[in-house]
Every structure is written in C-alpha cells, then in structure tokens.
Amino acid sequence: MQMFELIICYRKHLIADQIYEIRFTDNTLTLTNPKRPDTPKYILPLNWSSQITWQLTPKENAFGFWTSPKKFKWFHAKQSDLLILKKILSKFVSFTKVQDFYEATEHLASGSNSQVYQVVRKSDKNDNFVTKCITKEAIQNSVEKMNGIFDELNILKQLNHPNLPRFEEFYVGDGTYYIVLEYCRGQSLNSYIKELKHQLNVRIIQNILWELLQGIAYLHSLNIMHRDIKPENIILNIQEKKIDLKIVDFGLSVKLEPKKELKKCGTPGYVAPEIINLKNGKYGLESDIFSIGCVFYKLLLRKDLFQGETQNEILSANRRCQINLQNLSLIHIPITAQNLLSEMLQEDPRLRIKATSALQHSFFRENFRISTRNIPLTFSNNRASFLSQKSNTKHQQSDDEIVVDYFNNELPPINQIPVFLEYHKNGQKISQNQENLNSQSTDSKFMFRNVSKSTG
C-alpha cells in the first residue's frame, strides 16, 4: 500500500460534525476517531467488490460507501486530499458513476461481451484513455466470469512497463463494468502488415520483435502469461525514427500459481500446441513464446504459419504443428532469424527459448542494411545499451473445445451502446438517430482492436 500523509475527513451531523482519520491496515481502509485510535468506527475491505462513490465538485467534496446493506454514508474532506485518496484506491476498489469523470468520444473495438471506447477525462480534457465496457448481462451472475474480471484487474494494476498499457480505474454501473486504461495510439500490427506492399525490412522486424520480447519478458518476470499474443493485440505507433509498441488485451491473461488449473484459450493460428492438446490443466510461460514465434514468422513472410480456409482448418493445422522452416533460406531470411524462430517454435515447451534468452540472441546483434523503401527505425536506448554491453560476448479432442473470440469490426447496435454517458463525437452531443445514420462512415475511420473475453 502506498504511503501518504494522514488524511482527515468528517461526517456532517446536526449538532457537531464527527472527525475521522483515514488509515490503511491489513488490506482495509479504516475511519477512526482520533480520540480512540485503536477502535476503527468504519472498515472498508480493499477488494474489487467494495464500491466508493465520489462527489468532487465546486460545491461538494466527499466520498461515500455502504457501511451496511441499508446504510450509505458520506465523508467530507478537502478536494486535494480526496484526489490523492482516489488515486491510491484506484488500484484496490471499484468506483461508481463513471459519467461524472469521463465522456465517450469514439467507438474503437468490439468483443463477444464487451465494447471499447476512447474517452476524455472531464477534469482536464485529457483524451489519453479508453474504457473497456463489459455488460453485466454477459456475466449472468457467473462467479467464474466475475472472478475472471477481477483476475484481469489484478494483473492490469501490476503493470508498469513502456510496452504495456497503464491501468487507471475500475467503475461499476447499473448494467455495465468499466475498465479505464491508457489509450494506446497507433494501429495493430495486423493492419500494419496488411497495408505494406513489400516485405518488411529485417531491421524493422528486429525493432518490433525486440519491443515485443521486452514486454513479455517483463510479464514473465511477474509470473504472468498473456495467452493471446497475436498481431491484432500488438499496437504500433511509428513516428519518424521511433517505434512505440504496446501489447494489449489482457482478458485471457493469468498469473501462474502452483495448484491453479488452466484452460484452453487463445486464437487459432497462434496457440501453443501444449494448450491445444491440453490434458492435465498445466502449461507455462513458454506458451507465450510459441505465439511470439508465430508473430515473428508473419513478420518475416507476411503470411500466417498455420493456414486454412476456415477457423477450424486453421486450428487443425495449429494442432498438428507440422512446421517446416527449411524453405526460409531460399528467400534469403538471415540465418540468425531462422535460428531464433526455430528456438521459439519448438513443439516441446521444455526446449523453447525463454524471453530473456531471446533478447540476448545474436539476431539482435546483427546489423542489417536499412532499405530505403522502409521507414528507417532506430533502436531504443535500452537496446542500444544492451548491444554495447553484449558486443564482446559469445554467444485427440474436438476443435471447438478451445476458447476463441473472433474479432468483429462492426459497431454495436445503438441500443447496446452503454448509457453511462451521453454519446459525443468531436466534442458535440449527438442523438442516437444521428449516430445510427453516421455509424457506417465513422466506423471505417478508426483502428479497431480485438477484446478477448475473460476466462480463468
């Protein structure tokens, strides 16, 4: 728990207001009378089931929560103190009334049970946020699905890395859950590859793969598996000589625990064979490396490793895992790239290279000629530092059992757009009829990202 200066709040009463000190002890928030410091008056557990409502206006500055099933109480304090408190609590509890703090601007993506919107923070008009909206109806009182959302939140709040999105807050509405995240600007790697009219320069592939491995190595250091690495979940923002890469969509991510039983999940064409052929509920971090290998293959050849006319055909090819990399030499793929790809795509996960070892592979120490046809990307400072340090170093189940979420790039019906806020476009309020008429033309202007559903 983050330390902060003692915050004083008070409850309004007819005769005399009651003063309380806000403290954190053993995963709880307590409000204590200063005269009786050892006996908290109010206790709020610090978990996602706890909900806090905020009033942060020129006229009123308070926060409130249910102290019992029938009693909701407000506590007042200085706005500056409450903003500090809100920032700290954002990693531990749920908030209500998202419409008080954010305003939707554009629809970005659709998933099987969720929508993603770009939003603007009302307090400072900062538009560097997105909200993943999950309908409560999709959860249908399922403890497993609700725990899946909590697991996703517990993973997101740990992330602190330039190649991963920053978690902001979690809100609970009447019919929708809202996960507020950093807006990762750019386009998906899938879109980037599709738009190219030529093979990618190997120097650019080096940069993309390096950034991807940096993010995954960080996740693996926290014992977290992403479980859905694919081009649609990799966002690139390329500006002049710099590339920013973000790994997104943690709906299928899981933190490994000794006795945790894992399920089949992922996207056909990028799933590790041990997941497709799962028998004992066990697999490890190596599965992400296989998925990265599939992405690496697509970067090198601009086609999928496992192909088919339908998703079932792709999944069947993925399950058979018959990989032939011998033809890569015929199209002048560098031998170092072939070697690294081979180590990533080992069918036996025990033989697969780890993310940290992959970052030390000779592929990243090789200087390739930069083609004038491609954007001349430079390596990050971290990679440059790494290169200087290393310069002297030698170096039989049915296909439908897998959990799959297919991307749908159409806007949801207007009556399914969350009612947590008045819908806006370009800062102007519009009616639902207007939005319905304009949705098709607007839809094509924005990059859509896949939002996988949460599973255990």
Side-chain angles (χ1 to χ4, degrees):
M1 172 61 69
Q2 180 178 344
M3 300 300 295
F4 62 96
E5 294 184 6
L6 188 64
I7 292 179
I8 302 297
C9 65
Y10 64 93
R11 267 196 44 81
K12 293 181 178 180
H13 292 280
L14 291 175
I15 300 175
D17 295 341
Q18 180 61 59
I19 304 297
Y20 295 102
E21 295 176 346
I22 299 176
R23 301 177 183 273
F24 292 97
T25 59
D26 299 328
N27 297 318
T28 61
L29 178 147
T30 64
L31 276 67
T32 306
N33 187 324
K35 296 179 180 179
R36 296 186 290 275
D38 298 327
T39 309
K41 174 67 174 179
Y42 301 104
I43 299 176
L44 181 73
L46 294 180
N47 57 53
W48 300 114
S49 297
S50 297
Q51 297 180 19
I52 289 183
T53 301
W54 302 90
Q55 285 187 342
L56 298 171
T57 68
K59 294 182 179 180
E60 201 75 67
N61 292 289
F63 72 102
F65 55 88
W66 292 94
T67 58
S68 70
K70 295 184 179 181
K71 292 184 178 180
F72 184 91
K73 298 191 175 182
W74 287 106
F75 302 90
H76 299 260
K78 295 189 299 184
Q79 186 177 94
S80 57
D81 286 344
L82 291 182
L83 289 173
I84 294 173
L85 182 63
K86 184 172 183 284
K87 185 66 176 178
I88 295 171
L89 290 176
S90 66
K91 305 293 184 183
F92 301 96
V93 301
S94 309
F95 300 152
T96 66
K97 296 186 177 181
V98 66
Q99 69 274 16
D100 288 351
F101 300 96
Y102 296 95
E103 175 180 282
T105 55
E106 300 295 345
H107 178 269
L108 296 177
S110 299
S112 59
N113 63 357
S114 61
Q115 306 292 333
V116 177
Y117 293 84
Q118 184 178 2
V119 296
V120 173
R121 188 166 59 193
K122 289 184 175 182
S123 61
D124 56 7
K125 303 304 179 183
N126 187 336
D127 65 350
N128 195 35
F129 305 99
V130 296
T131 300
K132 179 178 177 180
C133 309
I134 306 168
T135 60
K136 288 185 177 180
E137 184 180 0
I139 304 302
Q140 295 178 336
N141 298 320
S142 168
V143 174
E144 182 180 5
K145 291 181 179 179
M146 196 67 242
N147 286 339
I149 293 178
F150 291 161
D151 288 344
E152 182 178 357
L153 292 169
N154 287 332
I155 287 173
L156 287 171
K157 75 177 187 179
Q158 295 181 62
L159 305 184
N160 183 20
H161 191 274
N163 296 121
L164 304 172
R166 184 181 66 255
F167 169 73
E168 289 294 326
E169 298 165 328
F170 176 59
Y171 288 84
V172 178
D174 292 337
T176 311
Y177 300 105
Y178 307 95
I179 302 176
V180 183
L181 299 162
E182 171 192 6
Y183 176 34
C184 301
R185 300 180 185 275
Q187 65 181 143
S188 72
L189 178 59
N190 190 54
S191 297
Y192 177 63
I193 293 173
K194 281 184 177 180
E195 290 176 3
L196 290 173
K197 296 180 180 179
H198 47 70
Q199 293 298 116
L200 268 171
N201 184 275
V202 183
R203 185 69 177 272
I204 296 177
I205 295 175
Q206 274 183 317
N207 279 270
I208 292 174
L209 190 63
W210 174 268
E211 297 293 327
L212 177 57
L213 283 168
Q214 288 274 24
I216 291 300
Y218 172 81
L219 281 179
H220 289 183
S221 72
L222 300 176
N223 224 25
I224 294 172
M225 273 192 298
H226 186 279
R227 299 204 298 182
D228 199 19
I229 296 296
K230 57 184 177 181
E232 290 87 346
N233 287 341
I234 299 168
I235 305 300
L236 294 178
N237 186 17
I238 300 175
Q239 296 181 353
E240 296 181 355
K241 296 182 178 182
K242 188 176 185 300
I243 179 172
D244 288 324
L245 181 147
K246 298 280 188 181
I247 303 166
V248 299
D249 198 341
F250 287 79
L252 296 181
S253 300
V254 64
K255 184 153 189 172
L256 290 180
E257 298 172 1
K259 296 183 179 181
K260 190 178 185 69
E261 186 172 329
L262 303 174
K263 295 183 178 181
K264 292 184 180 183
C265 66
T267 299
Y270 295 90
V271 186
E274 63 269 22
I275 296 180
I276 296 181
N277 302 301
L278 184 64
K279 295 180 179 179
N280 59 2
K282 298 292 182 183
Y283 51 86
L285 302 171
E286 301 85 3
S287 62
D288 280 344
I289 301 300
F290 187 91
S291 299
I292 294 175
C294 295
V295 173
F296 189 17
Y297 184 92
K298 187 162 187 174
L299 286 169
L300 291 168
L301 280 78
R302 288 187 62 204
K303 64 180 183 180
D304 294 319
L305 177 61
F306 302 109
Q307 300 182 31
E309 294 296 325
T310 66
Q311 291 291 338
N312 281 336
E313 289 181 5
I314 294 172
L315 186 56
S316 295
N318 199 161
R319 173 176 280 115
R320 292 192 299 272
C321 202
Q322 296 175 352
I323 301 173
N324 182 4
L325 302 180
Q326 294 180 355
N327 61 346
L328 296 183
S329 297
L330 301 178
I331 55 175
H332 307 295
I333 299 297
I335 189 65
T336 53
Q338 295 181 50
N339 291 340
L340 177 56
L341 182 62
S342 177
E343 291 189 66
M344 289 180 168
L345 293 177
Q346 290 291 327
E347 187 171 5
D348 186 343
R350 295 171 298 181
L351 302 179
R352 227 169 275 155
I353 193 170
K354 291 180 170 52
T356 51
S357 298
L359 286 166
Q360 301 178 40
H361 195 275
S362 57
F363 172 66
F364 295 110
R365 298 198 299 277
E366 189 166 352
N367 290 318
F368 298 103
R369 180 178 61 84
I370 300 176
S371 170
T372 56
R373 296 179 306 167
N374 298 80
I375 300 173
L377 302 176
T378 58
F379 293 101
S380 65
N381 292 334
N382 289 338
R383 183 173 184 277
S385 174
F386 169 80
L387 293 180
S388 64
Q389 293 173 10
K390 295 293 179 179
S391 59
N392 298 320
T393 304
K394 294 182 179 180
H395 311 0
Q396 255 333 320
Q397 298 161 348
S398 64
D399 288 348
D400 59 2
E401 288 183 58
I402 192 166
V403 179
V404 180
D405 179 55
Y406 301 122
F407 180 57
N408 174 10
N409 66 353
E410 296 180 356
L411 283 170
I414 193 66
N415 59 1
Q416 292 182 16
I417 292 179
V419 296
F420 76 94
L421 29 74
E422 295 176 334
Y423 200 56
H424 288 66
K425 280 190 180 297
N426 300 321
Q428 300 295 320
K429 295 181 183 178
I430 62 173
S431 68
Q432 291 187 346
N433 290 335
Q434 287 176 309
E435 169 59 17
N436 213 24
L437 290 171
N438 298 331
S439 61
Q440 186 173 0
S441 61
T442 302
D443 186 54
S444 62
K445 298 178 183 178
F446 301 96
M447 189 282 299
F448 287 80
R449 291 178 290 190
N450 190 16
V451 184
S452 300
K453 59 184 177 182
S454 300
T455 66

